[in-house]
Amino acid sequence: MSEPRPSDRHDNSDSDDTFAEIVDEETQRDPDLAVIEAGSRTLRTRSGPPQGDEVPARPADPEVDKALRGVEQELAGRWGETKLEPSVARIAALMDVLGEPQRAYPSIHITGTNGKTSTARMIEALLGAFDLRTGRYTSPHVQSITERISLDGSPIAPERFIEAYQDIKPYVEMVDAQQPYRLSFFEVLTGMAYAAFADAPIDVAVVEVGMGGSWDATNVIDGSVAVVTPISLDHTDRLGNTPAEIAGEKAGIIKQGATVILAQQPVDAAQVMLKKAVEVDATVAREGMEFGVVSREIAVGGQLLTLRGLGGEYEEIFLPLYGAHQAHNAAVALSAVEAFFGIGAEQPGSLDVDTVRRAFASVISPGRLEVVRSSPTVVLDAAHNPAGARATADGISEAFGFSRLIGVVGTSSDKDVKGLLEAFEPIFAEVVVTENSTARAMDVDELAALAVEVFGEDRVQVEPRLDDALEAAITLAEEEDEYAGAGVLVTGSVITVGEARLLLGRH
């Protein structure tokens, strides 16, 4: 099949946004703060409860929008997420003057290389289904900076985001004056999230690290459950050149007496994690040993799973996301929630299976094998490193019966771009290389040179503007008969995916 189901079809004929307009507005702001003004839609069953706004647009009220832009501009004046001075001293000082808000609730802390945000969303859905009020902190955002701080499954309202910033701003300035370096963009957002969660108040926080673990700004919480998604090579200039070295940094989130939910890992990375767990007397549950995926089969709009958790098996779990990697994320999320409730340790039994089913059926994960158009089918995926690209390639090959797949790739310059292209080479008939509107984007000519190495000159087309790249890819896909089932995959960066959503009329 080339399209999941008829109800997922959308037309983009009413979209008159231009790439120039994006560039005009977005390049004036820090790339990490770029608010991609587009709606979002993800494939999901209608049987589960809604999880709130998926990807919010700009505020409708001009005054609120102006105030939000003012906050974004102030944050843009700070170090972006790619500039780091590895230390938790600044965020710890901010937490101190704020009265330690992160101690007001228990936390589930998530690290790893790929799958963190999807796993966080699944954990959040499960906790919410069991009547707990949740706060979720994830990064980066797809469309709006407000996505990063969520309450009860929905990004906080722009008004609340502005208020959260204004509430902590005097304390941020106080810490700035005392430290060798000012608080970074990510550190200020982390402080806002922890304070907003305490103010809500929430019952449990689901927190994704920004990068690494031991010195990540989020690591001032005492997560009773530490989740480690699969580790692979990414951010090697900051985290290390081997899975073991990277695991050493990420193991820093494992606290004394915590429960560690460990996804399948390279052997050397697993050894580092297990050693750390022994040092701090933490309990470890390993995928493939204490929990895992028992079975999975493709279903309309997703997949049907049987999962083995810490408390037993859970059958007939519909997950409205594509790819084996999402099934494994689901097993990790389920076990993390079981561990949070003490199942498998303090108490026997399992979670109510009907509640688990409803929770998973409601999960959304924007920009992860997300269908945004049909005829031809256009899929967006934010894979940005080789491991993520391989998972995406496997997932799209499994879930969609494309006779020919055209890639649109725009990447950041600080990634293993050749490795990413090599992961996609077996599934792309042709690739259109482009660049997004941010300063971090790899130059299109440099990207083209790498693509020619991997695909050969005849399979590479260069379109510097993303709107032209999308049009070219769609034209290539349409060269076959319309019923032949060609498709387009847009990938390489969260920013590229966000801008593509806008250009394809996702309002």
Side-chain angles (χ1 to χ4, degrees):
M1 61 177 180
S2 62
E3 299 177 17
R5 57 188 180 194
S7 62
D8 290 323
R9 298 181 179 180
H10 289 259
D11 181 60
N12 77 326
S13 60
D14 61 347
S15 175
D16 59 0
D17 294 293
T18 67
F19 185 77
E21 289 172 336
I22 301 174
V23 174
D24 267 351
E25 181 165 352
E26 302 305 333
T27 56
Q28 302 306 312
R29 298 149 65 187
D30 186 282
D32 296 312
L33 297 173
V35 180
I36 309 305
E37 301 183 26
S40 169
R41 200 198 102 273
T42 55
L43 297 174
R44 64 189 185 280
T45 180
R46 296 300 180 185
S47 61
Q51 290 299 302
D53 294 335
E54 299 164 12
V55 182
R58 296 296 311 185
D61 186 327
E63 291 303 314
V64 175
D65 187 52
K66 181 180 178 181
L68 180 59
R69 290 186 188 279
V71 172
E72 292 169 348
Q73 290 294 336
E74 289 192 26
L75 289 171
R78 296 180 175 275
W79 279 358
E81 288 167 292
T82 59
K83 186 173 183 179
L84 302 169
E85 194 281 314
S87 169
V88 294
R90 293 176 300 279
I91 188 68
L94 179 60
M95 292 297 99
D96 183 55
V97 297
L98 289 175
E100 303 289 346
Q102 81 280 18
R103 312 288 183 202
Y105 38 80
S107 301
I108 297 176
H109 206 177
I110 306 168
T111 191
T113 302
N114 291 306
K116 296 187 294 295
T117 298
S118 292
T119 302
R121 286 178 171 273
M122 294 179 196
I123 291 172
E124 172 189 54
L126 283 163
L127 293 169
F130 285 99
D131 297 323
L132 292 182
R133 188 164 203 210
T134 58
R136 173 171 53 84
Y137 182 53
T138 54
S139 61
H141 58 273
V142 175
Q143 170 190 321
S144 170
I145 195 171
T146 61
E147 293 168 42
R148 296 181 179 233
I149 305 173
S150 292
L151 293 172
D152 295 324
S154 297
I156 62 174
E159 296 87 348
R160 182 67 191 97
F161 186 90
I162 296 163
E163 182 183 344
Y165 177 73
Q166 296 298 340
D167 283 347
I168 74 165
K169 182 178 177 180
Y171 302 97
V172 169
E173 292 172 345
M174 185 186 309
V175 173
D176 283 344
Q178 298 170 347
Q179 297 291 323
Y181 302 99
R182 297 172 69 218
L183 287 153
S184 70
F185 159 77
F186 187 73
E187 288 168 334
V188 174
L189 273 177
T190 301
M192 289 169 59
Y194 289 165
F197 293 164
D199 186 61
I202 63 168
D203 297 313
V204 54
V206 182
V207 177
E208 173 189 341
V209 302
M211 186 186 299
S214 59
W215 44 256
D216 187 75
T218 63
N219 202 30
V220 289
I221 56 173
D222 292 321
S224 60
V225 178
V227 175
V228 186
T229 65
I231 291 172
S232 61
L233 299 182
D234 200 6
H235 301 295
T236 53
D237 56 330
R238 300 176 180 90
L239 302 180
N241 294 309
T242 67
E245 290 177 352
I246 294 172
E249 290 294 336
K250 294 182 182 294
I253 74 163
I254 301 174
K255 304 302 194 305
Q256 186 73 35
T259 300
V260 182
I261 304 300
L262 195 62
Q264 291 180 340
Q265 304 290 347
V267 173
D268 55 347
Q271 290 173 338
V272 171
M273 289 290 172
L274 293 172
K275 180 180 178 181
K276 174 67 174 182
V278 170
E279 291 172 356
V280 297
D281 197 27
T283 301
V284 179
R286 300 154 294 177
E287 184 180 6
M289 300 290 286
E290 287 77 24
F291 70 92
V293 178
V294 176
S295 66
R296 55 183 294 269
E297 58 184 272
I298 305 304
V300 175
Q303 51 193 310
L304 193 65
L305 311 174
T306 295
L307 302 176
R308 177 162 54 85
L310 306 180
E313 287 195 4
Y314 299 78
E315 298 178 341
E316 298 182 356
I317 305 298
F318 176 71
L319 180 67
L321 301 174
Y322 297 111
H325 60 294
Q326 295 290 17
H328 290 285
N329 289 341
V332 169
L334 175 62
S335 297
V337 173
E338 286 182 312
F340 180 78
F341 286 124
I343 290 173
E346 290 89 352
Q347 59 179 337
S350 59
L351 300 175
D352 178 71
V353 68
D354 288 332
T355 305
V356 170
R357 288 172 181 150
R358 286 196 301 273
F360 275 120
S362 73
V363 169
I364 59 175
S365 196
R368 278 72 178 177
L369 286 176
E370 177 186 11
V371 176
V372 293
R373 170 189 162 140
S374 62
S375 300
T377 301
V378 178
V379 183
L380 307 180
D381 192 271
H384 56 272
N385 57 47
R390 287 191 292 271
T392 296
D394 290 343
I396 201 167
S397 299
E398 175 186 76
F400 301 85
F402 292 128
S403 58
R404 192 161 64 106
L405 183 62
I406 310 301
V408 175
V409 178
T411 68
S412 296
S413 59
D414 58 346
K415 300 295 182 181
D416 179 2
V417 176
K418 187 174 182 181
L420 179 141
L421 293 171
E422 288 172 341
F424 284 125
E425 190 278 331
I427 68 167
F428 286 165
E430 297 179 66
V431 61
V432 182
V433 297
T434 187
E435 59 183 278
N436 59 56
S437 65
T438 68
R440 291 173 59 192
M442 172 171 274
D443 177 78
V444 71
D445 291 330
E446 293 181 28
L447 179 55
L450 289 173
V452 168
E453 286 185 37
V454 174
F455 290 89
E457 189 172 352
D458 292 344
R459 294 167 64 193
V460 178
Q461 183 168 334
V462 182
E463 296 290 350
R465 287 168 45 124
L466 181 56
D467 58 344
D468 291 338
L470 292 170
E471 182 178 354
I474 289 169
T475 299
L476 287 169
E478 289 175 337
E479 285 180 353
E480 290 193 1
D481 182 88
E482 66 175 305
Y483 299 108
V488 174
L489 173 64
V490 184
T491 189
S493 162
V494 175
I495 299 296
T496 300
V497 163
E499 292 183 352
R501 180 186 280 109
L502 169 60
L503 289 165
L504 291 165
R506 310 312 304 153
H507 294 287

